[in-house]
Amino acid sequence: MGDNTTTITETVSRAPAPVPAMAAAVVPAPAMVPETPDEWAAYLADMAPGPQTAVVLPLLDPEKLSHTGRIDALKTLERHAAWIQAQQAHILAALDADTQAALPEGKWNESIEGEWNFACEEVACALKLSGTTAAKRLQVARELDSHYPTTLGMLERGEICYMQAVAVTEACGVLDPLLAAQVEATIAEKMPGLATGQTRRALAREIVRADPRGADERHRKRKRERQMVHYAQDDGMAMWGAIVPAEQAARMNQAVDAHAATLPDEGRTLEQKRVDALFDLVVNRTSTSATDGSGADRGPGGRSAAVVQVTVALDVLIGESEEPAQLKGYGPITAGQAREIAFAEGTIWRRLIIEPKTGMLVKTDPTTYKPTAETERHVIARDGRCTFPTCQMPAHRCDLDHIQPFNHDDPAAGGQTVPENLGPLCRRHHVMKTHHSGWRVTRDADTGIATWTAPTGHSYTSSPHNYLE
């Protein structure tokens, strides 16, 4: 064994009992014993976190790790952070149970909790949290412990992060326990491969699917509560907007984008132009000429027409199914919302054909560099977002990038301009792929899954939009 194996032995021997006995279990069979810090980082990154592995974390000294080793160490520490947060959840749930047991006549409800839940104050003081944050921690722990043991177990094994566990408790809180358990069971197998934002979108879709009537009622209730929002920010700025139905927000967003496209650059960024376009539309109500050459669609009075894209199954449109639809730029919406949009005056329908087993969009001159309009629509609709894992930039704001490079000298010999060889990339990730040596991407033609390989050799995957989910 090398020096680092000696180090781990010394680390274990110095730890207080009974930790050494537990920690010894982390050391693999003699033929597999890691020797270098990088080997330990890679080994621990694949191990389930726990007291046995936590005791050897001091070996992951960043000064002794390579860049690749630091990535593995980061993964290891993140999994242990999840394990620790699961232990906190167990303790918080026990504290909460103590409080409930002390309530008058052993009863608990939300009104009594406010008067008697002193565990909140104890947690707030102990962890230096605000009362609101402490109450939220207790609530999440109570829900995980009582209703979502599968999610709590995944957190304890480091398979998901704490914010994913929070997302489950928050999203499923609108459901009765049986439906909540059904949604958790459906989403559990997917969560280890999802980022937090992706988890929330998947949960939203499953909740609409599991409880379409409830989703419609909650939407009607929230629609009645629509309101303007306006509050001050630092440096003489303010946030101004509105809480509106998702379909209205999508139309407003598209209208702002279309009007922003008609404004001169004058050194402004896209976001600055969008804000100026919003102000112009609200305050000045400027009508732009239908012949201004911008290429934008025009509505009545010369205004830029908003284009709202909803992906919905035919049986939902005809009322035979209540499966959720997908509103571009928002996420899952109810079947009722989809039908309202689909049958609104002036709606244009486009048919998208999907592969029934995978849910992937399927079917352009292949030897031209610039994609045809049909190809562009196809790729944007298929992927939905930038194909770099975790990136949420909408596809319509991305560049369409050739996965296998296009050969300008001999187009037939290079990557073709077909959907199978194209993917939307935001400008940052397009530049990274093109100019940062070491980043590589491939795409599986059957599943549409893009696999990105980092310079360190770590691989990450990104799936196209599944129209069946």
Side-chain angles (χ1 to χ4, degrees):
M1 293 188 182
D3 293 339
N4 287 292
T5 306
T6 303
T7 303
I8 191 171
T9 305
E10 293 173 352
T11 301
V12 171
S13 67
R14 287 197 298 267
V19 174
M22 293 189 294
V26 77
V27 181
M32 299 169 53
V33 174
E35 299 246 346
T36 68
D38 275 11
E39 289 173 353
W40 274 109
Y43 177 72
L44 291 171
D46 291 329
M47 292 283 288
Q52 298 94 333
T53 53
V55 77
V56 298
L57 293 181
L59 284 178
L60 306 182
D61 183 349
E63 297 300 321
K64 298 179 181 178
L65 292 168
S66 68
H67 186 77
T68 299
R70 288 167 184 160
I71 294 293
D72 285 326
L74 194 64
K75 293 166 64 177
T76 297
L77 293 171
E78 185 69 11
R79 296 189 71 180
H80 280 79
W83 171 70
I84 290 172
Q85 286 167 320
Q87 308 315 306
Q88 274 196 333
H90 285 303
I91 292 174
L92 287 166
L95 286 169
D96 190 71
D98 291 342
T99 300
Q100 293 185 40
L103 293 177
E105 300 180 5
K107 296 179 180 180
W108 178 87
N109 59 53
E110 290 184 2
S111 61
I112 293 177
E113 182 189 25
E115 298 178 18
W116 290 85
N117 192 352
F118 299 123
C120 179
E121 281 70 26
E122 290 185 292
V123 170
C125 292
L127 302 183
K128 297 181 175 65
L129 302 174
S130 69
T132 301
T133 302
K136 180 65 177 178
R137 289 270 196 99
L138 283 161
Q139 180 188 6
V140 170
R142 179 171 62 237
E143 292 296 314
L144 288 173
D145 185 69
S146 302
H147 303 301
Y148 307 106
T150 299
T151 300
L152 183 55
M154 295 171 70
L155 181 66
E156 195 158 14
R157 295 189 296 274
E159 296 171 3
I160 62 173
C161 71
Y162 178 72
M163 292 311 299
Q164 287 177 283
V166 171
V168 171
T169 65
E170 290 180 340
C172 294
V174 299
L175 302 174
D176 66 53
L178 286 178
L179 283 178
Q182 175 184 321
V183 169
E184 183 197 28
T186 301
I187 204 72
E189 61 184 33
K190 305 175 185 178
M191 277 202 292
L194 302 178
T196 300
Q198 294 169 325
T199 299
R200 288 191 178 277
R201 285 193 296 275
L203 282 164
R205 187 170 186 84
E206 289 303 326
I207 287 169
V208 174
R209 177 177 284 148
D211 185 27
R213 290 186 179 179
D216 265 328
E217 177 54 37
R218 290 189 295 273
H219 173 64
R220 286 193 293 270
K221 180 176 182 294
R222 291 297 303 276
K223 192 172 182 178
R224 292 192 295 271
E225 297 170 350
R226 61 192 182 273
Q227 59 181 300
M228 294 290 297
V229 290
H230 175 208
Y231 54 84
Q233 292 194 325
D234 294 337
D235 303 318
M237 303 298 287
M239 206 296 296
W240 182 91
I243 298 174
V244 298
E247 62 270 22
Q248 291 185 1
R251 292 181 64 186
M252 292 161 68
N253 207 46
Q254 294 291 343
V256 168
D257 283 351
H259 187 45
T262 70
L263 301 180
D265 285 339
E266 297 176 341
R268 291 179 286 189
T269 65
L270 175 60
E271 282 305 310
Q272 289 170 337
K273 289 172 63 178
R274 295 182 77 231
V275 171
D276 294 345
L278 175 62
F279 180 83
D280 201 25
L281 290 170
V282 172
V283 176
N284 298 327
R285 301 183 180 183
T286 302
S287 296
T288 53
S289 169
T291 59
D292 65 2
S294 70
D297 294 331
R298 298 296 166 207
R303 287 255 174 88
S304 299
V307 179
V308 178
Q309 181 175 307
V310 178
T311 305
V312 55
L314 181 61
D315 56 353
V316 171
L317 284 180
I318 63 177
E320 293 293 325
S321 170
E322 295 301 310
E323 283 283 294
Q326 190 80 10
L327 174 61
K328 182 178 179 181
Y330 174 75
I333 59 174
T334 67
Q337 286 177 275
R339 285 190 286 267
E340 183 178 340
I341 297 170
F343 294 107
E345 183 180 356
T347 296
I348 298 173
W349 293 11
R350 286 199 182 106
R351 182 173 64 179
L352 301 179
I353 301 174
I354 63 171
E355 206 287 320
K357 291 184 178 180
T358 65
M360 187 174 70
L361 188 66
V362 294
K363 190 188 159 213
T364 25
D365 180 14
T367 57
T368 58
Y369 178 67
K370 186 175 181 180
T372 64
E374 177 191 358
T375 299
E376 186 173 353
R377 283 196 301 269
H378 180 118
V379 175
I380 290 173
R382 180 194 68 198
D383 292 317
R385 290 177 172 78
C386 171
T387 58
F388 186 80
T390 76
C391 184
Q392 302 302 314
M393 180 66 73
H396 71 275
R397 293 189 189 173
C398 293
D399 303 328
L400 290 195
D401 176 65
H402 288 76
I403 296 171
Q404 181 184 351
F406 184 84
N407 189 326
H408 290 273
D409 297 325
D410 185 2
Q416 295 188 325
T417 308
V418 294
E420 294 76 14
N421 191 46
L422 292 171
L425 288 181
C426 70
R427 183 54 54 88
R428 173 180 174 81
H429 293 129
H430 191 174
V431 170
M432 182 187 76
K433 171 183 173 290
T434 304
H435 299 291
H436 190 296
S437 61
W439 280 98
R440 303 188 307 279
V441 61
T442 59
R443 182 180 182 277
D444 187 302
D446 295 326
T447 64
I449 294 175
T451 300
W452 286 76
T453 304
T456 59
H458 294 91
S459 293
Y460 310 95
T461 58
S462 174
S463 300
H465 179 73
N466 187 330
Y467 285 91
L468 298 179
E469 293 185 346

